Amino acid sequence: MPAPEFPPFEAPQRILMGPGPSDVHPRVLAAMARPTVGHLDPAFVGLMDEVKQLLQYAMRTQNQLTFPISAPGSAGMEACLVNLVEPGDGVVVCRNGVFGGRMRSIVERCGGRVIPVDDAWGAPVDPGKVEDALKANPDAKLVAFVHAETSTGALSDAKALAELAHAHGCLVVVDAVTSLGGVPLEVDAWGLDAVYSGSQKCLSCAPGLSPVSFSQRVIERVQARSTPVQSWFLDLGLVMGYWGGGAKRAYHHTAPVNAIYGLHEALRMLAEEGLEAAWARHRHHHQALAAGLEAIGLPLRVAAEHRLPQLNVVELPEGFDEAAARRRLLADYGLEVGGGLGDLAGKVWRIGLMGSACSRRNVLACLAAVDDVMRGALDGAGQGRGVAAALATYG
Ligand SMILES: *Cc1c(COP(=O)(O)O)cnc(C)c1O
């Protein structure tokens, strides 16, 4: 067989305004290109400690067990659930979009007994329904929910849900993949027990890492398990020997060294800006984008008080060929926005404003491009109304 011959891959320059990955800052890309060292090299061990401290800052936690899992957000989800769920355990799983459904499948695969709490797509998780489920299932061990549902654009009240769970003797597992860095997330103040996130959403790092944080209650629960964790790779007891081992780190797996250089730089950038300033920036640009989209005739699907600033879901006109329009956005403007997932496929667009992609430049570029591809489909399109409304919001 002849050796395949290809030119080097020329990655196109895009503006990533979908549900993730978001634009990766050149500083992060440059960090990832630094020389690879061994994953037990003293220099790397020092870097790991800094990553842990930077993540503790970003997640607002003192949890010692705070580190990135060497795999994407879904692996963080799996890590939390496989360690905390034993066969037969009752687990309240809240589902108001795609990712709650994914949690449910994992709990089932762990042999857990799913206690479903369903809310409409686009609505937050209803604490009243969670309370009813907990009252009806006094033996439940865990409550799992998605803080920021990227499939629908809705933000749930993590503090209220965690309080309810604790009042009924449950620990909480929180999906903070899209919330971390974009909206307030208070791991310690809200008492969140097992939290996982992703590198490629509001942290604006390359995809492939899942920051996680575990409370002391989680460690105790895992130590008290009567059955072994069914995943070798994600077994916290084993991973802890590497990430929690201080100077005596034991080999567990080969850490993705260069990916961690990137995360370190992305977290340094977040710390330089300041967490509160990053939250405020997401809110600020979201307001301009939302005003612009509405002026074009694209209503936001989620009620204003539950909207995620970093993920804007708009309703498309009936019968609109959205796939063709997204192809045009990509070809003519280098702009990526997300289509709908699951029940919302074909009906909505998901426009992200995550991390370094969340800027005035991108808001205005996106509104101009969307205005253009909506010409003919919406009466309000093609007249620059979106950009004008956004500029008026910026003042
Ligand atoms: C993106 C996302 C995930 C999955 O993360 P991957 O890195 O794609 O595995 C999980 N939950 C939410 C809310 C997400 O937005």
Side-chain angles (χ1 to χ4, degrees), residues 102-323:
R102 187 172 297 183
M103 284 178 148
R104 190 166 161 165
S105 315
I106 296 175
V107 170
E108 282 165 358
R109 283 164 191 247
C110 296
R113 183 169 52 83
V114 171
I115 303 162
V117 171
D118 287 311
D119 279 291
W121 286 38
V125 173
D126 178 352
K129 288 188 190 169
V130 173
E131 186 163 29
D132 291 345
L134 287 166
K135 281 185 181 151
N137 295 274
D139 60 341
K141 299 259 174 75
L142 214 58
V143 173
F145 63 90
V146 179
H147 187 207
E149 238 314 339
T150 325
S151 61
T152 71
L155 180 68
S156 289
D157 186 344
K159 180 170 185 266
L161 293 170
E163 268 168 20
L164 265 177
H166 291 153
H168 288 83
C170 289
L171 299 188
V172 283
V173 172
V174 183
D175 179 319
V177 174
T178 285
S179 53
L180 180 64
V183 288
L185 171 72
E186 302 276 359
V187 170
D188 285 1
W190 297 347
L192 311 181
D193 296 294
V195 182
Y196 61 92
S197 188
S199 49
Q200 79 277 28
K201 312 249 169 151
C202 295
L203 298 182
S204 270
C205 186
L209 290 173
S210 177
V212 292
S213 186
F214 300 107
S215 71
Q216 191 56 36
R217 293 183 291 266
V218 169
I219 297 171
E220 284 157 16
R221 184 77 75 86
V222 173
Q223 282 167 344
R225 281 181 69 108
S226 53
T227 56
V229 174
Q230 55 271 49
S231 163
W232 178 87
F233 187 66
L234 298 172
D235 183 334
L236 264 189
L238 302 177
V239 179
M240 256 154 41
Y242 181 53
W243 272 97
K248 299 196 304 291
R249 281 173 211 272
Y251 166 69
H252 175 260
H253 67 278
T254 309
V257 170
N258 294 61
I260 290 173
Y261 296 168
L263 181 62
H264 181 261
E265 191 62 17
L267 291 167
R268 282 185 66 230
M269 290 182 66
L270 179 62
E272 274 170 25
E273 179 178 16
L275 202 47
E276 287 92 346
W279 299 336
R281 174 168 53 84
H282 283 88
R283 258 198 325 277
H284 181 63
H285 296 301
H286 155 74
Q287 279 155 2
L289 180 68
L293 291 168
E294 277 169 351
I296 296 171
L298 290 167
L300 273 81
R301 225 178 155 265
V302 175
E305 65 273 25
H306 303 304
R307 266 177 212 165
L308 286 173
Q310 64 272 50
L311 203 275
N312 299 269
V313 180
V314 288
E315 314 238 12
L316 298 169
E318 196 98 14
F320 179 62
D321 185 351
E322 66 86 24

Side-chain angles (χ1 to χ4, degrees), residues 90-101:
V91 182
V92 174
V93 183
C94 307
R95 190 172 54 171
N96 59 339
V98 165
F99 294 102

